[in-house]
Amino acid sequence: MSEELLAELAAIIGAACMLLGVGLVFLMVTLFFRKTEEVERRVATPGKQLDEARSIWGNGPIGRWMRVVYVYAFVVFRHIPRIGPRIKSRMGDEKEPLPLSLKLWVVVPFTACVVLTFLFFFSGWYLGAFD
């Protein structure tokens, strides 16, 4: 593959990742937010971080995004050895086990958005945008 072809491919991948990433953020704060609220409702114990985040950030676009980040952090980071139980006890309690499908509604779009953001910046680095 020639250098020109690789540069064009990187530009196309970067643009596609940007569009898909922004689209995923929009979907997470609109259509997918019902599932995030469901997870939040089940695990947000009064007086803990998830409950406070709901009242602090509210229901605007930025507030919804922050609540998605908090719920994602609760679902993912509580499985880290040694510090996971402390994170879980600080953020909320899972009184009843959450169904896997409900967890995936939070984890998959957010993880995909993070990967797309990484690819966007990586393609920009490859094209020399940060020089």
Side-chain angles (χ1 to χ4, degrees):
M1 293 182 115
S2 69
E3 184 67 30
E4 292 174 2
L5 182 62
L6 286 174
E8 286 181 25
L9 188 61
I12 291 170
I13 289 173
C17 287
M18 180 185 64
L19 292 174
L20 288 172
V22 169
L24 266 175
V25 169
F26 179 75
L27 286 173
M28 281 189 280
V29 298
T30 56
L31 297 176
F32 301 164
F33 192 70
R34 290 177 300 169
K35 299 294 185 177
T36 303
E37 278 183 319
E38 176 69 20
V39 173
E40 186 182 50
R41 184 185 60 76
R42 289 184 176 198
V43 298
T45 308
K48 304 254 179 142
Q49 282 182 347
L50 285 174
D51 186 47
E52 291 173 5
R54 187 179 341 170
S55 61
I56 290 172
W57 289 105
N59 210 22
I62 294 173
R64 284 182 170 206
W65 177 250
M66 290 306 297
R67 289 168 62 189
V68 167
V69 171
Y70 271 86
V71 171
Y72 177 83
F74 175 80
V75 171
V76 173
F77 295 155
R78 67 192 174 118
H79 296 293
I80 298 173
R82 301 190 81 195
I83 63 170
R86 282 187 298 192
I87 292 172
K88 181 181 173 185
S89 68
R90 224 177 321 139
M91 294 189 82
D93 296 316
E94 188 178 358
K95 295 173 187 154
E96 60 197 43
L98 291 171
L100 180 62
S101 62
L102 200 55
K103 291 177 188 177
L104 290 177
W105 273 101
V106 175
V107 173
V108 170
F110 192 88
T111 304
C113 189
V114 168
V115 169
L116 289 170
T117 302
F118 172 77
L119 288 174
F120 170 73
F121 283 108
F122 184 75
S123 66
W125 170 79
Y126 182 79
L127 293 172
F130 305 122
D131 291 341

